[in-house]
Amino acid sequence: MFTDIEIMGPQEEHGLIVLKDLHRDHRANRLLAALEPADFAVLEPHLEIVDLRKCTVLYEAGDYIRFTYFPHDAIVSLVEDMEDGRAAEVALFGREGVFGLLSAFISGEALGRYVVVVSGTASRIPIERMRQILVLRSRLRRMVAAFNEAVLAQAFQAVACNALHPVEARCCRWLLNTHDRIDQDTLPLTHETLAEMLGVQRSTVSTVLRALQATGLIVQQRGGIVVADRAGLEQAACECYHKVRLRVEKVLPGSYSRSDLNTLLQPAKAEQLLTYPIRPRR
């Protein structure tokens, strides 16, 4: 997957490996790419690239947060675990943002379990250093605050979505969220991963994915799920997908490609958002 990589040190906590990738730019993360040159110049000397492997748990709820992460192509889910063993996703983090800051200024503890759902790389910086830089750089501080607002909006929407919307629509939303964060149509997701993120049984996910495949929206294959009809998935997803995307784009312009944003703003989408059942295409 990587070329010209030098392992900088031994395997670290949580099984992470610090990498020196001569062809990897920290600005593969869109939040870092959007920084003013002066702000990025202050951060860059303290950033290091890590390999995040699927299923790696970066923090459990209550763990002390040691690093702030800026994902490149990795996707990390913030999950809330219940005492009976069930779990539900609260927020999703990818190349559009940062995680490990929301609670770092008060308790310093992770709000839930941060687990890698799609392997990839990320830039990270020690939390203490990040705090120091934020005190000095007001524009960076405002950008982080804007992203934190977007994360809170995502969490609030997830509460309503999990309570009110059918699993078929929520599954489409999750597939789209993943598709937004990687540069390929094949999503490296398993039924087990989707079941945990959606808070349902694996058998339920299998039934939903078969229906999506029957209507031509996806193709299931060894190693992942292929997005075959992106527009169709958007029509089948609940309104929460578009609401969260527009909220992120409002507070952090440029988080999504311009062509994607133009699709979101089409007037015809307003009626399509209310159509939850998956219907065969004609």
Side-chain angles (χ1 to χ4, degrees), residues 53-267:
R53 298 172 178 174
K54 186 175 181 178
C55 297
T56 297
V57 176
L58 299 172
Y59 298 114
E60 294 283 6
D63 284 352
Y64 178 71
I65 295 175
R66 296 183 55 202
F67 295 96
T68 295
Y69 290 83
F70 298 87
H72 302 160
D73 49 358
I75 301 178
V76 174
S77 177
L78 173 57
V79 177
E80 179 65 21
D81 294 308
M82 299 290 108
E83 292 182 357
D84 62 4
R86 293 183 297 172
E89 182 185 75
V90 178
L92 198 66
F93 302 93
R95 61 186 176 183
E96 80 291 345
V98 57
F99 66 91
L101 272 179
L102 196 58
S103 60
F105 295 97
I106 306 299
S107 69
E109 297 179 355
L111 296 174
R113 174 164 51 95
Y114 289 82
V115 58
V116 180
V117 291
V118 174
S119 299
T121 58
S123 298
R124 76 175 185 182
I125 181 173
I127 187 64
E128 294 300 334
R129 180 64 65 185
M130 189 67 184
R131 286 170 175 160
Q132 294 167 4
I133 293 174
L134 286 174
V135 170
L136 299 175
R137 313 298 299 186
S138 60
R139 288 176 300 188
L140 176 59
R141 191 164 61 246
R142 286 194 297 270
M143 182 173 286
V144 168
F147 181 75
N148 284 341
E149 178 181 320
V151 171
L152 288 174
Q154 182 184 170
F156 290 150
Q157 198 72 39
V159 172
C161 185
N162 291 338
L164 300 174
H165 293 157
V167 65
E168 294 85 358
R170 293 194 290 119
C171 184
C172 291
R173 171 176 63 84
W174 214 92
L175 294 175
L176 289 167
N177 283 336
T178 305
H179 195 227
D180 286 339
R181 291 167 169 86
I182 60 177
D183 294 317
Q184 60 184 39
D185 289 332
T186 300
L187 312 180
L189 301 173
T190 64
H191 291 205
E192 288 82 1
T193 297
L194 281 170
E196 180 175 13
M197 297 304 106
L198 295 171
V200 298
Q201 297 293 321
R202 184 188 182 282
S203 58
T204 301
V205 168
S206 297
T207 300
V208 171
L209 292 179
R210 282 197 298 270
L212 292 175
Q213 180 163 277
T215 56
L217 301 184
I218 66 167
V219 175
Q220 298 187 76
Q221 64 179 31
R222 187 181 182 89
I225 299 168
V226 179
V227 176
D229 183 352
R230 164 86 192 197
L233 274 180
E234 291 192 21
Q235 291 177 23
C238 57
E239 64 196 82
C240 301
Y241 169 70
H242 296 81
K243 283 184 175 180
V244 170
R245 277 192 56 154
L246 287 173
R247 167 70 70 170
V248 173
E249 185 65 32
K250 181 178 181 180
V251 298
L252 289 170
S255 296
Y256 300 98
S257 70
R258 191 53 41 186
S259 60
D260 285 348
L261 184 59
N262 290 339
T263 299
L264 280 176
L265 296 177
Q266 289 177 5

